[in-house]
Amino acid sequence: MAYTSPAVVIDNGSYTTKAGFASEDLPSLVFNTNYSVDNNSGAVVVGDDAINAAPENEVMTLLDNGIIYNFDNIVHNWNYVYDNIDNQNPIDAKEFPLVLTEQSWNTSKNRLTTTQIAFETLEVPIFSLVKTPIAQLYRAGRSTGLVIDIGGAVTSVTPILDGIIQHKSSFHSKFAGDFLNLHVLNYLESKTAIENLLPPQYHGPASSESFKNYFISHTVLQDYKSLALSYQLRDYQLPNGSHISVADSRNYLENLFQPTVNKLPNITIPEPAIDKPHTHGLTNLIFLCLKSLEATLLPTTNDSSSHNKLAKFTEIFKDLLSNILITGGTSTASGLPESIINDIRAMTQQYYSNYPFSYATYPIRHSTGDSSEIWDRQFGAWLGACNLASMLNDSNAESNSVKIALDNWFVTKADYEELGEDLIVDKFK
């Protein structure tokens, strides 16, 4: 039996939270994932305008390394969604299925805590945790592919074969959008005083240091970086009315590929190590992913059965490298997808020249620059999760969509209360 109410879909990113009904084409809410705490009442403040209206409050984060760590306050983020999702009108969480996204390296303990909040605090009737790269690839209409996600806090490389994430070959690092922000800030500080990056109303001790850092990072650095990375070479106007030239700033994208090249004051960047994928830049992260897959899938013997395994391995790699999805907010930077694809082409020609797929590297989403592609990159995980959630509303009597969704993606409140943690561990592993 199909569900009549559309699911609420929430994608908590380190930078922004995207939320809306699964029936919508784009998220109706896109707001800052950070929150602040009222100095007087201790109340949690959520939403861009509300945070900016009280600069004296301390600003806090909810995610670290791409996953939720602050479970005491994440529920305020979700409640904000329920209070505003319907054109700023509240809805009752008990009446709508809920879908959340999660990174593939999320822990079982976190999944259990998340599910507990969903069923016991929000009291949703049905719930799902969808892995971000699966949702992104599903949105692109593929079950096999290499998902390269360059977000605000994390860059990840995830190989997916027939809808299954290859966890041992999936790697991520913190060389992402926030890392580029550090280089932008270093450049701006060489040109002007840090106070000039703030509007006058936020100057002085009345504004907390955490708010100042938050505002600079999420407003000034984002704006400047967007301008610099779009290669629109013009001046950037600071809040005080003065200008800084964008034309003489360095190519910040190179820091994604070679994190140790440009030094940052008072910050030590670890030297890359083979056994520590998180220390590598983007191209090497992709290379380590492919080498790990090769070690896992390539036969080690030379008997007759190994020839079939070699043929299967070759086909898998061809399929994987023919379906590369480059996504994430930072991936919208001009020229970045092309640089990644060119590096992969060079890599496969150098290291995999014996296989007949050296030239088979093409992205699923070509860089046309149109608005639909930009939305897919920024909201791909949310849109893919919506596609999966919409299976619950399939009223076609001949379709098995609802059953498939319940069997593979969703847990009902009744099943959770009956089967508990074992069900969650098995369903969301």
Side-chain angles (χ1 to χ4, degrees):
M1 177 178 174
Y3 285 76
T4 56
S5 299
V8 171
V9 180
I10 304 175
D11 176 28
N12 287 123
S14 298
Y15 180 63
T16 58
T17 292
K18 284 75 69 176
F21 291 115
S23 55
E24 296 174 328
D25 294 330
L26 288 173
S28 56
L29 295 174
V30 180
F31 61 96
N32 199 287
T33 301
N34 288 6
Y35 69 96
S36 67
V37 178
D38 188 278
N39 287 339
N40 298 316
S41 66
V44 171
V45 178
V46 180
D48 301 56
D49 292 341
I51 293 175
N52 290 345
E56 68 278 6
N57 294 340
E58 296 295 332
V59 180
M60 312 288 189
T61 59
L62 292 169
L63 279 71
D64 180 48
N65 198 30
I67 62 177
I68 298 168
Y69 78 93
N70 188 337
F71 283 99
D72 290 337
N73 289 302
I74 188 65
V75 69
H76 295 289
N77 178 283
W78 298 338
N79 279 329
Y80 179 86
V81 171
Y82 284 107
D83 288 341
N84 294 276
I85 191 172
D86 187 15
N87 293 317
Q88 281 68 55
N89 295 311
I91 63 171
D92 188 348
K94 299 177 185 179
E95 299 177 359
F96 296 84
L98 172 62
V99 179
L100 299 176
T101 60
E102 63 165 350
Q103 295 289 3
S104 58
W105 56 90
N106 197 16
T107 65
S108 295
K109 181 180 178 181
N110 280 6
R111 291 189 194 104
L112 290 172
T113 304
T114 301
T115 304
Q116 182 180 17
I117 294 173
F119 282 127
E120 298 180 19
T121 302
L122 299 176
E123 299 185 76
V124 301
I126 183 170
F127 176 65
S128 181
L129 268 174
V130 178
K131 289 178 174 54
T132 295
I134 291 284
Q136 291 164 327
L137 196 63
Y138 190 85
R139 170 65 181 175
R142 301 290 191 275
S143 61
T144 293
L146 185 66
V147 180
I148 302 170
D149 186 359
I150 312 164
V154 181
T155 288
S156 61
V157 180
T158 308
I160 300 174
L161 304 178
D162 294 327
I164 299 174
I165 293 176
Q166 307 302 298
H167 287 282
K168 292 183 178 179
S169 302
S170 301
F171 302 124
H172 65 279
S173 79
K174 292 187 177 182
F175 301 128
D178 288 346
F179 182 65
L180 297 185
N181 281 358
L182 294 176
H183 288 276
V184 172
L185 181 60
N186 184 46
Y187 170 76
L188 293 178
E189 286 183 315
S190 72
K191 298 295 184 179
T192 188
I194 192 72
E195 200 79 352
N196 291 333
L197 302 180
L198 293 163
Q201 66 267 32
Y202 299 145
H203 289 186
S207 298
S208 70
E209 287 302 313
S210 62
F211 175 84
K212 291 179 180 179
N213 292 334
Y214 152 81
F215 185 89
I216 290 172
S217 175
H218 288 262
T219 304
V220 179
L221 299 186
Q222 285 297 125
D223 290 347
Y224 182 91
K225 187 173 63 176
S226 297
L227 191 61
L229 296 182
S230 66
Y231 298 104
Q232 300 176 37
L233 303 182
R234 61 174 187 263
D235 290 344
Y236 176 76
Q237 184 173 349
L238 297 174
N240 66 0
S242 62
H243 292 79
I244 291 180
S245 174
V246 178
D248 62 352
S249 59
R250 67 175 77 244
N251 177 14
Y252 296 109
L253 291 179
E254 67 182 1
N255 297 294
L256 294 176
F257 297 90
Q258 297 179 300
T260 59
V261 168
N262 299 306
K263 305 301 180 184
L264 289 166
N266 304 317
I267 296 177
T268 302
I269 307 298
E271 289 297 323
I274 292 296
D275 60 340
K276 297 178 179 178
H278 66 277
T279 62
H280 288 266
L282 182 51
T283 302
N284 282 354
L285 206 64
I286 298 169
F287 175 73
L288 291 173
C289 166
L290 297 180
K291 292 300 290 183
S292 175
L293 276 175
E294 184 180 34
T296 302
L297 301 174
L298 192 65
T300 56
T301 60
N302 197 26
D303 53 31
S304 56
S305 64
S306 68
H307 292 292
N308 290 333
K309 293 180 179 178
L310 177 61
K312 183 178 180 181
F313 163 78
T314 301
E315 189 61 32
I316 288 173
F317 255 46
K318 179 180 179 181
D319 202 14
L320 193 71
L321 293 174
S322 296
N323 291 285
I324 295 175
L325 176 63
I326 300 171
T327 187
T330 304
S331 74
T332 59
S334 179
L336 180 55
E338 291 80 3
S339 295
I340 295 171
I341 293 300
N342 288 337
D343 279 2
I344 295 177
R345 280 201 177 101
M347 182 193 308
T348 55
Q349 291 169 26
Q350 180 176 356
Y351 295 103
Y352 300 103
S353 59
N354 293 329
Y355 304 118
F357 50 75
S358 297
Y359 299 93
T361 307
Y362 300 102
I364 294 173
R365 299 289 181 187
H366 294 278
S367 294
T368 60
D370 61 25
S371 59
S372 63
E373 183 195 359
I374 298 299
W375 296 143
D376 275 356
R377 288 195 180 164
Q378 290 183 333
F379 305 136
W382 185 86
L383 291 166
C386 285
N387 293 152
L388 291 169
S390 296
M391 295 172 68
L392 293 172
N393 305 118
D394 189 349
S395 58
N396 186 346
E398 298 180 359
S399 173
N400 290 323
S401 294
V402 177
K403 185 179 186 304
I404 292 172
L406 291 173
D407 288 346
N408 294 281
W409 303 102
F410 289 87
V411 172
T412 65
K413 193 172 190 292
D415 286 342
Y416 168 76
E417 291 173 344
E418 178 183 354
L419 302 173
E421 292 185 0
D422 290 341
L423 174 62
I424 303 307
V425 171
D426 181 64
K427 185 63 70 78
F428 300 145
K429 61 186 177 182

